[in-house]
Amino acid sequence: MASKVTVKAPSSTANLGPGFDVFGLAVDAFYDEVTLTKTKSRITIVTDDNIPTKPDNNTAGLVVKNMKKKFKIKSGVEIKIKKGVPAGFGMGSSAASAAATAVAFDKLFGLKLDGNSLVEFAGSGEKASAGSVHYDNVAASVLGGFVIVKTNPLQVTRVDPPTNLRMCVAVPKLEVPKKKTKVSRGVIPKKVKLTDSILNLSNASAIVAGFMKKDPELIGNSIKDVIVEPARKHMIPGFDKVKENALKAGALGVTISGAGPSVIAFSKSSADLKKISSAMSRGFASAKTECQTVICKPSKGAADKRR
Ligand code: ADP
């Protein structure tokens, strides 16, 4: 068996508007690379990036700790992390490290776990960043494509996205608060109106149908969220303008990526994607905010051999 394994895992976007805490999509924009090496004892983290290096505070460290415990593995593990996914911008950064680590650990110790179990272990690592276990980003990052997460018990359904689906991501250059996910969860209403819940349910259902029918138009024009987006958009300078500009430039649907502050526009490959991206940049510029834009496709994820 190998004594060293390297796995890359992609960024991801959670929610896709009305699918709050349920939908995820792997996004071919950024990748984390994790190398696990067997050592004598202990879990150690090596990285040049600005992330926690104490195993309990790092999603990758926690995944290794949990998997070692579950499978009674005595060997130590060195975790080398090369970050490609910017941390704290709603692109599933901590999830990409956790996903790559779960897949690499499985390979390193020949566990041959199924996709659902890999997602479960990767999700357990998210406690180190978000304070709670959650699966939408890790499921997408591990399995690739579009995922629907059911919990209690965990059951993840993966659907291949349409090949002509494209996304324009705008990552604003902002100082993100340390506990951003917690802060952005704090602004969400505790109770919702039935009419709003019906609207979101109809759009979420149509998004699933859009992925099943390989119909980017149905996906894009159903990215409408009347519950979470209105509560969170004030945390993103220029959000309304970014969205309006992208739609005017031909995007089918636009929403906050995960807990933000990145904004993601959905389109078909035939759209003028550069025009949409620069329209989004102008939206952020109107609020005196610079941003990085990336035109991307859905990603195949980290666990491609297991699908
Ligand atoms: P987002 O999904 O918006 O990228 P994250 O869930 O990645 O946000 O949260 C980022 C936070 O998680 C940062 O405060 C960071 O310190 C912490 N964190 C812990 N482990 C990691 C890791 N391996 N990679 C990136 N961030 C990590």
Side-chain angles (χ1 to χ4, degrees):
M1 217 178 289
S3 61
K4 190 176 186 166
V5 171
T6 299
V7 171
K8 277 169 94 171
S11 47
S12 55
T13 184
N15 306 339
L16 290 90
F20 181 66
D21 273 359
V22 175
F23 293 166
L25 179 70
V27 175
D28 192 17
F30 311 103
Y31 284 81
D32 272 14
E33 190 181 293
V34 173
T35 302
L36 299 187
T37 309
K38 284 185 194 169
T39 58
K40 278 218 177 88
S41 62
R42 295 201 317 134
I43 300 168
T44 49
I45 297 178
V46 181
T47 185
D48 292 334
D49 299 289
N50 185 21
I51 51 168
T53 50
K54 212 175 141 220
D56 278 345
N57 297 340
N58 189 302
T59 55
L62 209 48
V63 170
V64 167
K65 188 176 171 182
N66 293 338
M67 292 182 87
K68 248 167 73 67
K69 191 169 171 203
K70 176 78 182 178
F71 299 102
K72 300 187 170 59
I73 289 168
K74 296 269 180 306
S75 154
V77 179
E78 180 201 84
I79 309 166
K80 191 162 186 211
I81 306 173
K82 254 198 228 164
K83 294 294 301 174
V85 187
F89 287 87
M91 297 307 298
S93 178
S94 60
S97 294
T101 303
V103 173
F105 192 97
D106 177 72
K107 288 193 178 163
L108 188 64
F109 293 100
L111 303 174
K112 298 198 165 55
L113 297 174
D114 62 19
N116 211 66
S117 309
L118 289 172
V119 170
E120 195 147 19
F121 282 113
S124 76
E126 286 282 65
K127 218 171 173 180
S129 75
S132 60
V133 172
H134 64 107
Y135 299 99
D136 41 8
N137 287 107
V138 287
S141 198
V142 168
L143 302 173
F146 174 66
V147 294
I148 304 162
V149 177
K150 279 212 310 175
T151 42
N152 287 331
L154 179 68
Q155 188 188 2
V156 182
T157 305
R158 178 190 182 280
V159 184
D160 266 327
T163 51
N164 59 344
L165 181 68
R166 295 290 181 277
M167 286 80 68
C168 298
V169 177
V171 184
K173 294 188 178 144
L174 293 172
E175 222 15 89
V176 284
K178 266 221 146 46
K179 298 263 175 230
K180 181 211 69 186
T181 305
K182 214 170 170 192
V183 174
S184 51
R185 278 190 176 267
V187 301
I188 298 168
K190 299 240 172 347
K191 288 187 176 171
V192 297
K193 278 202 308 209
L194 184 63
T195 46
D196 287 348
S197 154
I198 292 167
L199 260 175
N200 267 31
L201 179 61
S202 65
N203 281 314
S205 307
I207 289 173
V208 174
F211 277 99
M212 304 290 295
K213 294 167 73 145
K214 315 287 173 224
D215 181 348
E217 308 244 357
L218 184 57
I219 296 168
N221 65 37
S222 308
I223 306 262
K224 286 186 191 128
D225 162 27
V226 295
I227 299 172
V228 178
E229 185 182 292
R232 278 185 170 170
K233 66 178 185 176
H234 311 286
M235 301 170 75
I236 305 171
F239 176 81
D240 282 335
K241 202 74 192 148
V242 176
K243 181 168 176 171
E244 185 192 317
N245 285 1
L247 291 171
K248 271 195 193 146
L252 298 165
V254 181
T255 193
I256 302 168
S257 183
S262 298
V263 180
I264 186 162
F266 291 78
S267 313
K268 285 209 288 199
S269 51
S270 54
D272 188 341
L273 300 165
K274 281 195 182 145
K275 186 175 167 191
I276 295 170
S277 294
S278 45
M280 294 172 87
S281 295
R282 269 186 279 111
F284 272 119
S286 74
K288 299 193 171 32
T289 304
E290 273 184 66
C291 72
Q292 175 194 5
T293 56
V294 187
I295 294 170
C296 48
K297 301 180 198 176
S299 163
K300 292 190 184 345
D304 28 7
K305 283 192 187 135
R306 266 163 248 276
R307 257 177 267 139

